[in-house]
Amino acid sequence: MSDRLNVVVGITGGIAAYKAVGVIRLLVLAGHDVQVVATDAALRFVGKPTLEAISRNPVHSDLYEGVSEVRHVAIGQAADLIVVAPATANTIAKLAAGLADDLLGNTILASRAPLVLAPAMHTEMWQNPATVANIAELRERGVTIVGPGSGQLTGTDSGLGRMVEPDEIVAAALAVVAPKDLVGKRIVITAGGTREPLDPVRFIGNRSSGKQGIAIALDAAARGAEVVLIGANLEIAAPASTTIQHLTVSHVSTTSELEAATMAAAVDADVVIMAAAVADYRPQSVAENKIKKETQGDRLTLELVRNPDILRQLSEARRDGQIIIGFAAETETNREKLLETGRAKVVRKGADFLVLNTVGWTEGFATETNSIIVINTAGDIVSEATGSKSSVAARILDLLS
Ligand code: C5P
């Protein structure tokens, strides 16, 4: 999954076609080459210029264009993965029958690449015996079906048939082609940032979004590991365990909740990855009611106490063979100084590996990309990566295999 893949994104004519833009965007950001094959009906819902700008490639839709290049088979032959999102009832029926009356049908028939469909239609169409039989037939042939989910449909009705969100489609699709090099490994990953309450409405927190930790969890699950993701105040939706196999997600907020959840989950884990940004201090006491300026006056002093160091506790409780990976987000921009800080920290924390990165007002936190250096206990650089958080996640997990 770490390598650049040739991904064909097929778009068919449902209103959810506008969400295909998100699918393409995520695949491009993850470093893959995306060729869009849209049906005529799809192009009535979403414009070619949008798809070309986002995919960074020409959009293919006409069976009779590029005939000299034998395009109707060339695109499918070159594909490593084909994702159809949305997949309408009509396209599902055509695929089940093996029809090739448009460019998408030809592309799919001419390809040996894994096929992933994200159906989108009204509940009645999804539950129609014809669709049920077509889906069963496609599953039987090894096609992966992602969703549909339940929720608001195009009209005023809601129910089963809604296309699942782009991030889940992309995660499920990439999981199909990921190397299965972590099968049988139990991996605990923390993500996000802890919050320490001051009163019922306020907290001390940090800007970690959880994106890097979630990317590691998704890649680990795709590679076959049994993953426990412990999210602390994630800024983006946590992946749904219903669409992603091998993944369990739980949510915590404070450092003490994160400590309890992580220590419990670590007991039978082969690997623990502490990607969460943990508050080093918490208010000594939490006010029962909202702290008011009317009673506090012009100054307010907060008394903070040290939080437990979860990473160090994990290292101290480490079982034989268990691997513990910590993160160190530093505002240090000088590479040598960053390494120096990291080398002292990896020893102090007792971790097997420490992932170092620079954070600042505009760097690291809540961004789509990351740049890391990984060191081992001896302080040697064992890996370096720059790119999307999912490509960085893959490099970190490569250390395990
Ligand atoms: O000490 P520092 O916060 O720089 O160390 C960062 C690493 O330690 C991260 O992996 C973080 O998840 C972990 N950590 C922890 N408990 C704390 C503070 C940080 O486990 N109280």
Side-chain angles (χ1 to χ4, degrees), residues 201-233:
V201 292
R202 304 187 181 96
F203 58 84
I204 297 176
N206 61 69
R207 290 174 44 229
S208 176
S209 61
K211 283 181 185 164
Q212 184 62 75
I214 289 175
I216 298 171
L218 287 174
D219 195 31
R223 289 160 75 158
E226 288 303 323
V227 179
V228 175
L229 172 66
I230 305 172
N233 310 297

PDB file of all heavy atoms in Angstrom, residues 201-233:
ATOM      1  N   VAL A 201     -17.245  23.410  31.393  1.00  0.00           N
ATOM      2  CA  VAL A 201     -17.278  23.845  29.995  1.00  0.00           C
ATOM      3  C   VAL A 201     -15.902  24.151  29.397  1.00  0.00           C
ATOM      4  O   VAL A 201     -15.798  24.424  28.210  1.00  0.00           O
ATOM      5  CB  VAL A 201     -18.186  25.095  29.828  1.00  0.00           C
ATOM      6  CG1 VAL A 201     -19.635  24.744  30.081  1.00  0.00           C
ATOM      7  CG2 VAL A 201     -17.750  26.232  30.738  1.00  0.00           C
ATOM      8  N   ARG A 202     -14.843  24.111  30.183  1.00  0.00           N
ATOM      9  CA  ARG A 202     -13.528  24.500  29.650  1.00  0.00           C
ATOM     10  C   ARG A 202     -12.486  23.412  29.905  1.00  0.00           C
ATOM     11  O   ARG A 202     -12.615  22.615  30.820  1.00  0.00           O
ATOM     12  CB  ARG A 202     -13.059  25.796  30.303  1.00  0.00           C
ATOM     13  CG  ARG A 202     -14.039  26.941  30.149  1.00  0.00           C
ATOM     14  CD  ARG A 202     -13.401  28.195  30.666  1.00  0.00           C
ATOM     15  NE  ARG A 202     -14.268  29.336  30.589  1.00  0.00           N
ATOM     16  CZ  ARG A 202     -15.014  29.774  31.613  1.00  0.00           C
ATOM     17  NH1 ARG A 202     -15.004  29.145  32.775  1.00  0.00           N
ATOM     18  NH2 ARG A 202     -15.763  30.837  31.452  1.00  0.00           N
ATOM     19  N   PHE A 203     -11.458  23.455  29.056  1.00  0.00           N
ATOM     20  CA  PHE A 203     -10.385  22.475  29.230  1.00  0.00           C
ATOM     21  C   PHE A 203      -9.051  23.046  28.780  1.00  0.00           C
ATOM     22  O   PHE A 203      -9.006  24.050  28.059  1.00  0.00           O
ATOM     23  CB  PHE A 203     -10.683  21.197  28.434  1.00  0.00           C
ATOM     24  CG  PHE A 203     -10.873  21.433  26.956  1.00  0.00           C
ATOM     25  CD1 PHE A 203      -9.784  21.505  26.096  1.00  0.00           C
ATOM     26  CD2 PHE A 203     -12.149  21.582  26.430  1.00  0.00           C
ATOM     27  CE1 PHE A 203      -9.956  21.730  24.738  1.00  0.00           C
ATOM     28  CE2 PHE A 203     -12.333  21.813  25.064  1.00  0.00           C
ATOM     29  CZ  PHE A 203     -11.243  21.890  24.217  1.00  0.00           C
ATOM     30  N   ILE A 204      -7.963  22.383  29.190  1.00  0.00           N
ATOM     31  CA  ILE A 204      -6.638  22.665  28.638  1.00  0.00           C
ATOM     32  C   ILE A 204      -6.374  21.542  27.645  1.00  0.00           C
ATOM     33  O   ILE A 204      -6.518  20.362  27.986  1.00  0.00           O
ATOM     34  CB  ILE A 204      -5.554  22.645  29.738  1.00  0.00           C
ATOM     35  CG1 ILE A 204      -5.829  23.748  30.754  1.00  0.00           C
ATOM     36  CG2 ILE A 204      -4.160  22.790  29.127  1.00  0.00           C
ATOM     37  CD1 ILE A 204      -4.859  23.750  31.924  1.00  0.00           C
ATOM     38  N   GLY A 205      -6.034  21.900  26.421  1.00  0.00           N
ATOM     39  CA  GLY A 205      -5.829  20.862  25.412  1.00  0.00           C
ATOM     40  C   GLY A 205      -4.697  21.215  24.473  1.00  0.00           C
ATOM     41  O   GLY A 205      -3.919  22.123  24.751  1.00  0.00           O
ATOM     42  N   ASN A 206      -4.604  20.486  23.380  1.00  0.00           N
ATOM     43  CA  ASN A 206      -3.571  20.784  22.384  1.00  0.00           C
ATOM     44  C   ASN A 206      -4.167  20.614  20.994  1.00  0.00           C
ATOM     45  O   ASN A 206      -5.312  20.209  20.851  1.00  0.00           O
ATOM     46  CB  ASN A 206      -2.353  19.884  22.596  1.00  0.00           C
ATOM     47  CG  ASN A 206      -2.699  18.428  22.449  1.00  0.00           C
ATOM     48  OD1 ASN A 206      -3.007  17.957  21.372  1.00  0.00           O
ATOM     49  ND2 ASN A 206      -2.682  17.698  23.568  1.00  0.00           N
ATOM     50  N   ARG A 207      -3.368  20.939  19.974  1.00  0.00           N
ATOM     51  CA  ARG A 207      -3.925  21.024  18.619  1.00  0.00           C
ATOM     52  C   ARG A 207      -3.837  19.721  17.830  1.00  0.00           C
ATOM     53  O   ARG A 207      -4.089  19.702  16.628  1.00  0.00           O
ATOM     54  CB  ARG A 207      -3.226  22.156  17.863  1.00  0.00           C
ATOM     55  CG  ARG A 207      -3.619  23.523  18.416  1.00  0.00           C
ATOM     56  CD  ARG A 207      -2.825  24.648  17.767  1.00  0.00           C
ATOM     57  NE  ARG A 207      -2.725  24.494  16.342  1.00  0.00           N
ATOM     58  CZ  ARG A 207      -1.589  24.589  15.647  1.00  0.00           C
ATOM     59  NH1 ARG A 207      -0.464  24.849  16.265  1.00  0.00           N
ATOM     60  NH2 ARG A 207      -1.589  24.423  14.355  1.00  0.00           N
ATOM     61  N   SER A 208      -3.519  18.628  18.474  1.00  0.00           N
ATOM     62  CA  SER A 208      -3.439  17.370  17.726  1.00  0.00           C
ATOM     63  C   SER A 208      -4.817  16.965  17.206  1.00  0.00           C
ATOM     64  O   SER A 208      -5.794  16.950  17.946  1.00  0.00           O
ATOM     65  CB  SER A 208      -2.887  16.267  18.636  1.00  0.00           C
ATOM     66  OG  SER A 208      -2.898  15.050  17.934  1.00  0.00           O
ATOM     67  N   SER A 209      -4.887  16.637  15.902  1.00  0.00           N
ATOM     68  CA  SER A 209      -6.172  16.277  15.287  1.00  0.00           C
ATOM     69  C   SER A 209      -6.440  14.776  15.350  1.00  0.00           C
ATOM     70  O   SER A 209      -7.580  14.330  15.221  1.00  0.00           O
ATOM     71  CB  SER A 209      -6.163  16.695  13.817  1.00  0.00           C
ATOM     72  OG  SER A 209      -5.123  15.998  13.134  1.00  0.00           O
ATOM     73  N   GLY A 210      -5.366  14.001  15.493  1.00  0.00           N
ATOM     74  CA  GLY A 210      -5.518  12.545  15.474  1.00  0.00           C
ATOM     75  C   GLY A 210      -5.294  11.942  14.101  1.00  0.00           C
ATOM     76  O   GLY A 210      -5.329  10.714  13.937  1.00  0.00           O
ATOM     77  N   LYS A 211      -5.062  12.796  13.081  1.00  0.00           N
ATOM     78  CA  LYS A 211      -4.968  12.281  11.700  1.00  0.00           C
ATOM     79  C   LYS A 211      -3.831  11.269  11.523  1.00  0.00           C
ATOM     80  O   LYS A 211      -4.003  10.253  10.858  1.00  0.00           O
ATOM     81  CB  LYS A 211      -4.739  13.439  10.722  1.00  0.00           C
ATOM     82  CG  LYS A 211      -5.990  14.229  10.450  1.00  0.00           C
ATOM     83  CD  LYS A 211      -5.722  15.351   9.460  1.00  0.00           C
ATOM     84  CE  LYS A 211      -6.982  16.203   9.316  1.00  0.00           C
ATOM     85  NZ  LYS A 211      -6.715  17.492   8.687  1.00  0.00           N
ATOM     86  N   GLN A 212      -2.659  11.560  12.114  1.00  0.00           N
ATOM     87  CA  GLN A 212      -1.529  10.642  11.921  1.00  0.00           C
ATOM     88  C   GLN A 212      -1.795   9.290  12.594  1.00  0.00           C
ATOM     89  O   GLN A 212      -1.560   8.242  12.005  1.00  0.00           O
ATOM     90  CB  GLN A 212      -0.229  11.262  12.454  1.00  0.00           C
ATOM     91  CG  GLN A 212       1.004  10.420  12.196  1.00  0.00           C
ATOM     92  CD  GLN A 212       1.274  10.227  10.703  1.00  0.00           C
ATOM     93  OE1 GLN A 212       1.737  11.115  10.017  1.00  0.00           O
ATOM     94  NE2 GLN A 212       0.960   9.035  10.183  1.00  0.00           N
ATOM     95  N   GLY A 213      -2.338   9.325  13.805  1.00  0.00           N
ATOM     96  CA  GLY A 213      -2.639   8.072  14.506  1.00  0.00           C
ATOM     97  C   GLY A 213      -3.698   7.259  13.785  1.00  0.00           C
ATOM     98  O   GLY A 213      -3.596   6.029  13.672  1.00  0.00           O
ATOM     99  N   ILE A 214      -4.723   7.940  13.262  1.00  0.00           N
ATOM    100  CA  ILE A 214      -5.783   7.241  12.520  1.00  0.00           C
ATOM    101  C   ILE A 214      -5.187   6.609  11.265  1.00  0.00           C
ATOM    102  O   ILE A 214      -5.496   5.462  10.919  1.00  0.00           O
ATOM    103  CB  ILE A 214      -6.933   8.213  12.165  1.00  0.00           C
ATOM    104  CG1 ILE A 214      -7.702   8.588  13.432  1.00  0.00           C
ATOM    105  CG2 ILE A 214      -7.876   7.604  11.133  1.00  0.00           C
ATOM    106  CD1 ILE A 214      -8.786   9.635  13.221  1.00  0.00           C
ATOM    107  N   ALA A 215      -4.301   7.341  10.590  1.00  0.00           N
ATOM    108  CA  ALA A 215      -3.672   6.794   9.372  1.00  0.00           C
ATOM    109  C   ALA A 215      -2.874   5.534   9.698  1.00  0.00           C
ATOM    110  O   ALA A 215      -2.896   4.559   8.934  1.00  0.00           O
ATOM    111  CB  ALA A 215      -2.773   7.854   8.723  1.00  0.00           C
ATOM    112  N   ILE A 216      -2.200   5.533  10.845  1.00  0.00           N
ATOM    113  CA  ILE A 216      -1.432   4.338  11.234  1.00  0.00           C
ATOM    114  C   ILE A 216      -2.405   3.182  11.513  1.00  0.00           C
ATOM    115  O   ILE A 216      -2.185   2.044  11.085  1.00  0.00           O
ATOM    116  CB  ILE A 216      -0.559   4.618  12.482  1.00  0.00           C
ATOM    117  CG1 ILE A 216       0.458   5.725  12.175  1.00  0.00           C
ATOM    118  CG2 ILE A 216       0.173   3.349  12.932  1.00  0.00           C
ATOM    119  CD1 ILE A 216       1.219   6.226  13.399  1.00  0.00           C
ATOM    120  N   ALA A 217      -3.496   3.493  12.224  1.00  0.00           N
ATOM    121  CA  ALA A 217      -4.476   2.445  12.553  1.00  0.00           C
ATOM    122  C   ALA A 217      -5.071   1.837  11.286  1.00  0.00           C
ATOM    123  O   ALA A 217      -5.207   0.609  11.171  1.00  0.00           O
ATOM    124  CB  ALA A 217      -5.579   3.028  13.437  1.00  0.00           C
ATOM    125  N   LEU A 218      -5.411   2.685  10.324  1.00  0.00           N
ATOM    126  CA  LEU A 218      -6.019   2.179   9.082  1.00  0.00           C
ATOM    127  C   LEU A 218      -5.029   1.327   8.296  1.00  0.00           C
ATOM    128  O   LEU A 218      -5.391   0.274   7.762  1.00  0.00           O
ATOM    129  CB  LEU A 218      -6.498   3.358   8.218  1.00  0.00           C
ATOM    130  CG  LEU A 218      -7.743   4.077   8.729  1.00  0.00           C
ATOM    131  CD1 LEU A 218      -8.041   5.305   7.878  1.00  0.00           C
ATOM    132  CD2 LEU A 218      -8.951   3.142   8.733  1.00  0.00           C
ATOM    133  N   ASP A 219      -3.780   1.761   8.226  1.00  0.00           N
ATOM    134  CA  ASP A 219      -2.794   0.995   7.466  1.00  0.00           C
ATOM    135  C   ASP A 219      -2.506  -0.336   8.164  1.00  0.00           C
ATOM    136  O   ASP A 219      -2.393  -1.377   7.515  1.00  0.00           O
ATOM    137  CB  ASP A 219      -1.510   1.806   7.265  1.00  0.00           C
ATOM    138  CG  ASP A 219      -0.617   1.193   6.183  1.00  0.00           C
ATOM    139  OD1 ASP A 219      -1.159   0.579   5.244  1.00  0.00           O
ATOM    140  OD2 ASP A 219       0.618   1.286   6.282  1.00  0.00           O
ATOM    141  N   ALA A 220      -2.427  -0.293   9.498  1.00  0.00           N
ATOM    142  CA  ALA A 220      -2.151  -1.534  10.238  1.00  0.00           C
ATOM    143  C   ALA A 220      -3.295  -2.537  10.034  1.00  0.00           C
ATOM    144  O   ALA A 220      -3.059  -3.730   9.818  1.00  0.00           O
ATOM    145  CB  ALA A 220      -1.955  -1.231  11.720  1.00  0.00           C
ATOM    146  N   ALA A 221      -4.544  -2.044  10.082  1.00  0.00           N
ATOM    147  CA  ALA A 221      -5.701  -2.933   9.883  1.00  0.00           C
ATOM    148  C   ALA A 221      -5.695  -3.483   8.456  1.00  0.00           C
ATOM    149  O   ALA A 221      -5.959  -4.660   8.224  1.00  0.00           O
ATOM    150  CB  ALA A 221      -6.999  -2.185  10.175  1.00  0.00           C
ATOM    151  N   ALA A 222      -5.353  -2.607   7.500  1.00  0.00           N
ATOM    152  CA  ALA A 222      -5.305  -3.047   6.096  1.00  0.00           C
ATOM    153  C   ALA A 222      -4.250  -4.140   5.912  1.00  0.00           C
ATOM    154  O   ALA A 222      -4.425  -5.045   5.103  1.00  0.00           O
ATOM    155  CB  ALA A 222      -4.983  -1.866   5.191  1.00  0.00           C
ATOM    156  N   ARG A 223      -3.168  -4.051   6.681  1.00  0.00           N
ATOM    157  CA  ARG A 223      -2.088  -5.034   6.547  1.00  0.00           C
ATOM    158  C   ARG A 223      -2.356  -6.276   7.385  1.00  0.00           C
ATOM    159  O   ARG A 223      -1.498  -7.138   7.532  1.00  0.00           O
ATOM    160  CB  ARG A 223      -0.756  -4.363   6.889  1.00  0.00           C
ATOM    161  CG  ARG A 223      -0.365  -3.383   5.777  1.00  0.00           C
ATOM    162  CD  ARG A 223       0.651  -2.340   6.189  1.00  0.00           C
ATOM    163  NE  ARG A 223       1.997  -2.830   6.302  1.00  0.00           N
ATOM    164  CZ  ARG A 223       3.091  -2.055   6.233  1.00  0.00           C
ATOM    165  NH1 ARG A 223       2.972  -0.765   6.007  1.00  0.00           N
ATOM    166  NH2 ARG A 223       4.277  -2.575   6.368  1.00  0.00           N
ATOM    167  N   GLY A 224      -3.534  -6.359   7.947  1.00  0.00           N
ATOM    168  CA  GLY A 224      -3.976  -7.603   8.572  1.00  0.00           C
ATOM    169  C   GLY A 224      -3.842  -7.660  10.077  1.00  0.00           C
ATOM    170  O   GLY A 224      -4.208  -8.669  10.694  1.00  0.00           O
ATOM    171  N   ALA A 225      -3.309  -6.590  10.712  1.00  0.00           N
ATOM    172  CA  ALA A 225      -3.168  -6.622  12.176  1.00  0.00           C
ATOM    173  C   ALA A 225      -4.542  -6.463  12.833  1.00  0.00           C
ATOM    174  O   ALA A 225      -5.470  -5.930  12.230  1.00  0.00           O
ATOM    175  CB  ALA A 225      -2.249  -5.488  12.623  1.00  0.00           C
ATOM    176  N   GLU A 226      -4.639  -6.956  14.074  1.00  0.00           N
ATOM    177  CA  GLU A 226      -5.843  -6.698  14.879  1.00  0.00           C
ATOM    178  C   GLU A 226      -5.563  -5.389  15.606  1.00  0.00           C
ATOM    179  O   GLU A 226      -4.644  -5.328  16.435  1.00  0.00           O
ATOM    180  CB  GLU A 226      -6.070  -7.823  15.898  1.00  0.00           C
ATOM    181  CG  GLU A 226      -6.534  -9.131  15.292  1.00  0.00           C
ATOM    182  CD  GLU A 226      -7.815  -8.987  14.477  1.00  0.00           C
ATOM    183  OE1 GLU A 226      -8.699  -8.196  14.868  1.00  0.00           O
ATOM    184  OE2 GLU A 226      -7.902  -9.658  13.426  1.00  0.00           O
ATOM    185  N   VAL A 227      -6.322  -4.353  15.289  1.00  0.00           N
ATOM    186  CA  VAL A 227      -5.977  -3.015  15.769  1.00  0.00           C
ATOM    187  C   VAL A 227      -6.983  -2.479  16.777  1.00  0.00           C
ATOM    188  O   VAL A 227      -8.190  -2.566  16.578  1.00  0.00           O
ATOM    189  CB  VAL A 227      -5.892  -2.029  14.575  1.00  0.00           C
ATOM    190  CG1 VAL A 227      -5.564  -0.616  15.053  1.00  0.00           C
ATOM    191  CG2 VAL A 227      -4.853  -2.501  13.567  1.00  0.00           C
ATOM    192  N   VAL A 228      -6.445  -1.944  17.877  1.00  0.00           N
ATOM    193  CA  VAL A 228      -7.272  -1.214  18.842  1.00  0.00           C
ATOM    194  C   VAL A 228      -6.851   0.244  18.738  1.00  0.00           C
ATOM    195  O   VAL A 228      -5.703   0.582  19.016  1.00  0.00           O
ATOM    196  CB  VAL A 228      -7.042  -1.735  20.282  1.00  0.00           C
ATOM    197  CG1 VAL A 228      -7.821  -0.890  21.277  1.00  0.00           C
ATOM    198  CG2 VAL A 228      -7.442  -3.198  20.387  1.00  0.00           C
ATOM    199  N   LEU A 229      -7.770   1.095  18.288  1.00  0.00           N
ATOM    200  CA  LEU A 229      -7.481   2.532  18.184  1.00  0.00           C
ATOM    201  C   LEU A 229      -8.136   3.233  19.369  1.00  0.00           C
ATOM    202  O   LEU A 229      -9.346   3.110  19.575  1.00  0.00           O
ATOM    203  CB  LEU A 229      -8.033   3.086  16.865  1.00  0.00           C
ATOM    204  CG  LEU A 229      -7.986   4.613  16.694  1.00  0.00           C
ATOM    205  CD1 LEU A 229      -6.551   5.131  16.620  1.00  0.00           C
ATOM    206  CD2 LEU A 229      -8.745   5.042  15.443  1.00  0.00           C
ATOM    207  N   ILE A 230      -7.313   3.927  20.155  1.00  0.00           N
ATOM    208  CA  ILE A 230      -7.865   4.682  21.285  1.00  0.00           C
ATOM    209  C   ILE A 230      -7.759   6.159  20.924  1.00  0.00           C
ATOM    210  O   ILE A 230      -6.657   6.704  20.819  1.00  0.00           O
ATOM    211  CB  ILE A 230      -7.104   4.360  22.592  1.00  0.00           C
ATOM    212  CG1 ILE A 230      -7.108   2.838  22.834  1.00  0.00           C
ATOM    213  CG2 ILE A 230      -7.734   5.104  23.770  1.00  0.00           C
ATOM    214  CD1 ILE A 230      -6.224   2.395  23.994  1.00  0.00           C
ATOM    215  N   GLY A 231      -8.901   6.778  20.680  1.00  0.00           N
ATOM    216  CA  GLY A 231      -8.914   8.157  20.197  1.00  0.00           C
ATOM    217  C   GLY A 231      -9.223   9.128  21.325  1.00  0.00           C
ATOM    218  O   GLY A 231     -10.182   8.936  22.065  1.00  0.00           O
ATOM    219  N   ALA A 232      -8.390  10.173  21.412  1.00  0.00           N
ATOM    220  CA  ALA A 232      -8.638  11.223  22.399  1.00  0.00           C
ATOM    221  C   ALA A 232      -9.059  12.482  21.649  1.00  0.00           C
ATOM    222  O   ALA A 232      -8.252  13.100  20.973  1.00  0.00           O
ATOM    223  CB  ALA A 232      -7.381  11.479  23.226  1.00  0.00           C
ATOM    224  N   ASN A 233     -10.337  12.796  21.717  1.00  0.00           N
ATOM    225  CA  ASN A 233     -10.865  14.041  21.128  1.00  0.00           C
ATOM    226  C   ASN A 233     -10.460  14.201  19.661  1.00  0.00           C
ATOM    227  O   ASN A 233      -9.890  15.219  19.265  1.00  0.00           O
ATOM    228  CB  ASN A 233     -10.384  15.248  21.952  1.00  0.00           C
ATOM    229  CG  ASN A 233     -10.636  15.046  23.438  1.00  0.00           C
ATOM    230  OD1 ASN A 233     -11.781  14.943  23.847  1.00  0.00           O
ATOM    231  ND2 ASN A 233      -9.583  14.919  24.230  1.00  0.00           N
TER     232      ASN A 233
END
